[in-house]
């Protein structure tokens, strides 16, 4: 039997091929059964590559794909040093084997660079527009499903998962209070310091209070809070739902007849819509506290004068404008986070990508919605 035949150990000889010219001769069996010995021999190979002319394979007794690949790799390693090395003693059958290996040799990596073209630009734009359309449909689908579940909960209040809402509220609101308060305090302090630095040149130091109060209560407080909530709670929602998708827990809910919107989406969105106005109010108070301390230390405006000027500068409408935006921004953040979480596929790469997209989309839409609110309130004179 052929598999009982004893293999001939592979060896390499260096023979003269003229003055200062040598050839590398491969001898024995170069096959998968002797591949270990051949690898060690090639690793220890030292040849005068500047005198080497060719590789001779005519004395090889048995050659298969493994041995041919080793010879091909050795030839490439020698040529990498700057000298062309030929291959001699190759029969027609073995030449076809070497040709096949050459065809399957991986090409050198080249970066994928494409020249700019109008067609490519239009194609990329079209793909992005299709993605936006599909995301909009997914958000409308979740929103419609959410409305249906809410109507069911109103008719059957026992179906409202109050414990889940409380748990999500604790994570979204109570856990976020320290970072929101700290960031808002610093932003309020920075606004007052920069405003005071420029207004003091015109003797209008006291109007720093008006600037900080109106800017914080109408815009900065709610936007800053929404951005932090999108990065903190929105990404957490996406990661949680995405992990459930990867572990097929969402499919299990479908199998046992439970509504994913009722069990997973509604508690998170309701908790976020309750939490964001509270966090916005805390953010406003922290920013005004930071502003008041900076005006006291930097502009010598005492707290009593700060509060008096603040009462004259703001009204109930000023406070309400910022707080009214908060539930809508929370709804947008929650919808995007849940949609992206439910789009996660079965890989960690997909989870990371959709979590990143959730935060980016939420921040973008929060700023867009704030712009629409600004136009609306300006139109009605608020």
């Amino acid at each position: 039997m052929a598999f009982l035949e004893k293999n001939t150990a592979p060896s390499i000889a260096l023979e003269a091929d003229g003055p200062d010219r040598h050839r590398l001769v491969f001898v024995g069996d170069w096959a998968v059964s002797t591949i270990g010995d051949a690898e060690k021999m090639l690793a220890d190979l030292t040849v005068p590559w500047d005198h080497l002319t060719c590789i001779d394979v005519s004395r090889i007794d048995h050659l298969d794909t493994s041995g041919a690949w080793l010879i091909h790799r050795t030839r490439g390693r020698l040529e990498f040093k700057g000298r062309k090395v030929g291959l001699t003693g190759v029969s027609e059958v073995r030449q076809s084997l070497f040709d096949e290996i050459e065809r399957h040799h991986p090409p050198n990596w080249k970066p994928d660079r494409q020249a700019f073209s109008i067609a490519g630009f239009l194609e990329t734009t079209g793909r992005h527009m299709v993605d936006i359309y599909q995301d909009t449909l997914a958000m409308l689908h979740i929103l419609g499903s959410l409305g249906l579940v809410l109507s069911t909960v109103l008719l059957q209040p026992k179906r409202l998962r109050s414990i889940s809402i409380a748990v999500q509220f604790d994570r979204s609101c109570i856990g976020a209070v320290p970072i929101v308060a700290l960031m808002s305090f610093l932003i309020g302090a920075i606004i007052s310091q920069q405003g005071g630095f420029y207004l003091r040149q015109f003797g209008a130091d006291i109007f720093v209070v008006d600037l900080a109060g109106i800017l914080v209560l109408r815009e900065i407080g709610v936007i800053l809070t929404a951005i932090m909530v999108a990065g903190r709670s929105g990404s957490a929602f996406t990661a949680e739902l995405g992990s459930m998708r990867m572990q097929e827990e969402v499919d299990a809910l479908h199998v046992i007849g439970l509504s994913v919107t009722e069990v997973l989406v509604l508690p998170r969105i309701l908790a976020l819509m309750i939490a964001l106005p509270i966090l916005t109010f805390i953010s406003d108070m922290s920013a005004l506290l930071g502003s008041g301390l900076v005006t006291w230390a930097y502009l010598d405006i005492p707290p009593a004068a700060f509060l008096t000027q603040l009462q004259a500068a703001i009204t109930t409408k000023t406070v309400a404008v910022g707080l009214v935006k908060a539930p809508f921004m929370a709804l947008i953040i929650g919808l995007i986070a849940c949609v992206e979480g439910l789009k996660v596929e079965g890989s960690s790469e997909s989870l990371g990508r959709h979590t990143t997209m959730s935060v980016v989309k939420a921040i973008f839409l929060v700023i867009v919605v704030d712009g629409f609110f600004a136009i609306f309130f300006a139109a009605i004179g608020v």
Side-chain angles (χ1 to χ4, degrees):
M1 299 287 295
F3 59 84
L4 295 177
E5 295 179 358
K6 188 176 180 179
N7 297 311
T8 304
S11 61
I12 302 176
L14 190 63
E15 297 183 355
D17 194 24
D20 296 331
R21 297 168 66 88
H22 299 83
R23 60 178 176 174
L24 204 60
V25 182
F26 286 74
V27 184
D29 290 344
W30 288 74
V32 67
S33 57
T34 59
I35 200 71
D37 296 335
E39 282 276 14
K40 294 178 181 178
M41 192 181 309
L42 290 173
D44 299 334
L45 179 64
T46 56
V47 295
W49 62 271
D50 54 335
H51 296 165
L52 195 61
T53 58
C54 66
I55 295 177
D56 188 356
V57 297
S58 60
R59 301 185 193 177
I60 293 179
D61 298 328
H62 179 60
L63 179 69
D64 63 5
T65 306
S66 301
W69 165 249
L70 282 179
I71 296 172
H72 176 80
R73 192 180 66 182
T74 303
R75 181 186 178 189
R77 189 179 71 179
L78 295 173
E79 289 186 344
F80 182 74
K81 296 180 179 180
R83 185 178 181 87
K84 185 68 174 176
V85 179
L87 197 63
T88 62
V90 184
S91 64
E92 184 177 352
V93 176
R94 291 179 177 177
Q95 184 62 52
S96 62
L97 179 60
F98 282 110
D99 292 341
E100 191 68 21
I101 290 175
E102 183 67 33
R103 281 195 295 270
H104 288 81
H105 188 74
N108 295 330
W109 179 83
K110 294 182 180 180
D112 187 13
R113 296 179 180 176
Q114 297 180 356
F116 174 79
S117 65
I118 299 298
F121 173 76
L122 294 177
E123 180 186 4
T124 303
T125 304
R127 291 182 183 277
H128 289 321
M129 295 303 295
V130 171
D131 292 339
I132 293 173
Y133 173 73
Q134 292 176 347
D135 289 341
T136 304
L137 285 183
M139 288 185 61
L140 292 176
H141 172 74
I142 292 291
L143 189 60
S145 177
L146 193 65
L148 182 62
V149 169
L150 276 175
S151 62
T152 304
V153 168
L154 290 177
L155 296 175
Q156 301 177 10
K158 293 183 179 180
R159 298 186 62 173
L160 184 64
R161 299 175 180 270
S162 57
I163 296 179
S164 297
I165 295 175
V167 171
Q168 297 300 330
F169 177 81
D170 176 68
R171 295 176 179 175
S172 303
C173 182
I174 299 176
V177 168
I179 184 62
V180 169
L182 176 61
M183 293 295 294
S184 301
F185 179 86
L186 295 176
I187 292 297
I190 292 171
I191 290 174
S192 294
Q193 190 275 331
Q194 290 295 305
F197 177 78
Y198 289 100
L199 291 177
R200 187 166 56 180
Q201 302 176 17
F202 307 99
D205 306 30
I206 194 65
F207 292 107
V208 172
V209 181
D210 301 58
L211 172 67
I214 296 174
L215 189 60
V216 166
L217 294 177
R218 287 184 67 100
E219 299 293 339
I220 295 298
V222 64
I223 290 180
L224 182 65
T225 305
I227 290 175
M228 286 191 287
V229 168
R232 184 182 182 276
S233 301
S235 61
F237 290 172
T238 304
E240 290 171 1
L241 296 180
S243 178
M244 295 179 70
R245 282 274 297 172
M246 294 172 61
Q247 298 176 5
E248 300 182 352
E249 296 177 20
V250 176
D251 297 333
L253 290 176
H254 284 296
V255 169
I256 63 179
L258 293 178
S259 171
V260 175
T261 305
E262 181 180 343
V263 177
L264 301 178
V265 177
L266 181 61
R268 286 172 168 80
I269 292 182
L270 285 181
L272 204 60
M273 292 181 69
I274 298 171
L276 195 55
I278 298 174
L279 290 174
T280 300
F281 180 77
I282 294 173
S283 174
D284 292 343
M285 296 302 103
S286 299
L288 292 178
L289 176 61
S291 176
L293 292 177
V294 169
T295 54
W296 187 15
Y298 186 68
L299 301 175
D300 295 326
I301 299 177
F306 180 87
L307 293 176
T308 301
Q309 183 66 22
L310 185 64
Q311 290 176 356
I314 65 174
T315 62
T316 306
K317 292 181 180 179
T318 307
V319 180
V321 164
L323 295 179
V324 165
K325 301 175 186 178
F328 295 95
M329 293 183 177
L331 177 62
I332 291 172
I333 293 170
L335 285 176
I336 293 176
C338 293
V339 167
E340 292 297 328
L342 294 174
K343 287 165 62 177
V344 172
E345 299 172 353
S347 66
S348 57
E349 186 271 338
S350 176
L351 177 62
R353 184 176 69 253
H354 284 289
T355 302
T356 303
M357 292 174 64
S358 169
V359 176
V360 173
K361 291 179 181 179
I363 294 175
F364 171 75
L365 285 182
V366 159
I367 296 175
V368 170
V369 169
D370 183 76
F372 283 126
F373 270 110
I375 296 172
F376 171 74
F377 287 131
I380 63 177
V382 177

